Amino acid sequence: MRILFHSPAHKAGPWLDGLQAALPEAEVAEWQPGVPPADYAVVWSPLQQLVDDQPRLKALFNMGAGVDALLKLRLPAHTQVVRLDDAGMSVQMAEFVCQAVVRHFRELDAYEADMRAGRWSFRRPRLRAEWPVGIMGLGVLGARVARALQGFEYTVHGWSRSPKAIDGVRCFAGREQLQDFLAASRILVCLLPLTPDTRDILNRDTLGRMMPGGYLVNVARGGHLVEPDLLELLDRGQLAGATLDVLREEPPPPEHPFWGHPRITLTPHTSARTLRDESIAQIAGKIRALERGEPVAGVVDREKGY
Ligand code: NAP
Ligand code: GLV
């Protein structure tokens, strides 16, 4: 069995060593144009050339949860696309979203500014019940975030494509329930995959349907948010602020209006990082299962786009 690795965003050495250690029976190599045909490839943002050069691949393992970049390529029908299925990301995402929600709800930015200015100040405590959190996407990450927020006794709503039943979470599904979901949410967390159905879903119309003075946390993909619409809603006071871990262009150019915006907190696409050891263990387990002819979790439905 031959396995290729390719990622412009990761140091190849430790991944090659880790994959080789986890699958000693395999021949593991870094992809270069013209290398001999392989059975599997472990990739992040690969070039079309890799796919074209490797017509025999049984599966492409994506080194992340989101497969939007991978699905832009022309892929042979027989090659399965397998995404990371948690692999240590959901706990990071829960932690990150909870800090963004808590930071806004508890007005910690305002307290920090007061402390820096030498002001010992108090604000009237907000009522938790007046800050329901809506989570768009109730998959591996969204469901974990919902659980974590429930631990702090926030009211949690969720929206997904197919109906869900999650203890204590009011679940909405499909376009026909999107407006009701938005109207019930004051903090909105986006954890959707980026697909033709979800591109631009955070826009003037949808964000404008949230409870007034709302707050946006986008930790999914920059392509979900129509960025000028967010600025307009912030200016109008319809939204109070946003935490954005993802942007349409990463990094944003120096003149981008989000840099230094007083009501936008930016982080560099770091809310849930790919963890090498967990990911290698998961991928190696799935390669073994596929070799035995068994089904694996995390196979992408190319029709749905996630
Ligand atoms: P997942 O398990 O596939 O869950 C996706 C969820 O979105 C599912 O609940 C799905 O509904 C829902 N959904 C998809 N299309 C929809 C639509 N048109 N309308 C309503 N709901 C829709 O994915 P995941 O592992 O939770 O990851 C989610 C996304 O997070 C990834 O795709 C990636 O873009 C992003 N991400 C970001 C970071 C970061 O560091 N910023 C890290 C990891 C992942 P169903 O349940 O009905 O299918
Ligand atoms: C990161 O953004 C991922 O999709 O895993």
Side-chain angles (χ1 to χ4, degrees):
M1 172 175 46
R2 211 172 132 70
I3 300 169
L4 295 176
F5 171 86
H6 173 70
S7 165
H10 301 81
K11 238 167 110 180
W15 279 87
L16 292 167
D17 293 348
L19 285 163
Q20 190 64 77
L23 293 159
E25 69 277 26
E27 188 188 329
V28 180
E30 189 169 10
W31 174 75
Q32 305 285 345
V35 295
D39 307 283
Y40 300 99
V42 178
V43 297
W44 182 250
S45 285
L47 302 170
Q48 180 67 46
Q49 191 184 2
L50 181 150
V51 180
D52 294 346
D53 268 7
Q54 291 291 325
R56 213 181 74 184
L57 289 177
K58 296 182 211 169
L60 268 170
F61 286 91
N62 185 55
M63 293 161 63
V67 289
D68 42 295
L70 195 47
L71 293 190
K72 283 187 194 143
L73 304 181
R74 287 182 311 279
L75 303 170
H78 66 266
T79 303
Q80 297 197 79
V81 175
V82 187
R83 70 185 191 94
L84 281 185
D85 190 7
D86 195 334
M89 279 191 282
S90 75
V91 64
Q92 298 176 70
M93 194 53 97
E95 183 178 64
F96 185 93
V97 172
C98 285
Q99 72 76 32
V101 169
V102 169
R103 182 167 158 175
H104 181 67
F105 173 66
R106 296 295 302 269
E107 302 184 82
L108 296 179
D109 285 335
Y111 279 118
E112 189 180 323
D114 283 353
M115 293 302 112
R116 285 190 193 288
R119 273 195 304 272
W120 189 262
S121 59
F122 290 102
R123 286 169 170 72
R124 184 140 33 99
R126 288 174 162 171
L127 295 178
R128 203 170 299 266
E130 291 177 1
W131 290 84
V133 185
I135 303 174
M136 303 179 92
L138 289 174
V140 174
L141 302 182
R144 176 69 181 256
V145 166
R147 256 201 346 263
L149 287 166
Q150 283 178 315
F152 292 112
E153 299 182 15
Y154 289 98
T155 301
V156 181
H157 307 311
W159 182 68
S160 53
R161 183 172 157 124
S162 55
K164 297 267 178 291
I166 303 178
D167 246 10
V169 177
R170 186 171 166 208
C171 293
F172 298 79
R175 281 278 167 174
E176 52 295 350
Q177 292 185 3
L178 177 59
Q179 293 193 9
D180 290 344
F181 161 76
L182 292 166
S185 307
R186 190 153 183 199
I187 298 179
L188 189 66
V189 178
C190 181
L191 269 168
L192 292 167
L194 185 63
T195 69
D197 278 347
T198 65
R199 181 173 289 282
D200 296 338
I201 195 162
L202 304 172
N203 57 46
R204 184 185 295 117
D205 176 55
T206 50
L207 297 175
R209 289 176 188 276
M210 291 167 61
M211 291 168 67
Y215 193 83
L216 171 68
V217 181
N218 187 16
V219 277
R221 285 289 184 267
H224 288 123
L225 175 65
V226 181
E227 295 179 346
D229 288 7
L230 172 65
L231 290 173
E232 187 189 309
L233 293 166
L234 289 171
D235 287 348
R236 274 205 262 136
Q238 167 67 24
L239 286 184
T243 287
L244 306 175
D245 184 51
V246 288
L247 292 177
R248 286 183 108 95
E249 189 179 346
E250 296 177 4
E255 67 281 9
H256 196 289
F258 289 176
W259 284 118
H261 191 291
R263 282 186 282 153
I264 296 178
T265 299
L266 289 182
T267 49
H269 200 143
T270 194
S271 51
R273 303 287 291 268
T274 294
L275 302 178
R276 192 173 58 233
D277 292 352
E278 283 88 336
S279 304
I280 288 173
Q282 182 174 106
I283 292 167
K286 288 182 180 181
I287 289 178
R288 290 225 168 85
L290 290 174
E291 286 296 291
R292 291 191 299 268
E294 294 167 8
V296 296
V299 175
V300 170
D301 178 333
R302 293 211 223 153
E303 277 297 303
K304 289 201 284 190
Y306 67 98

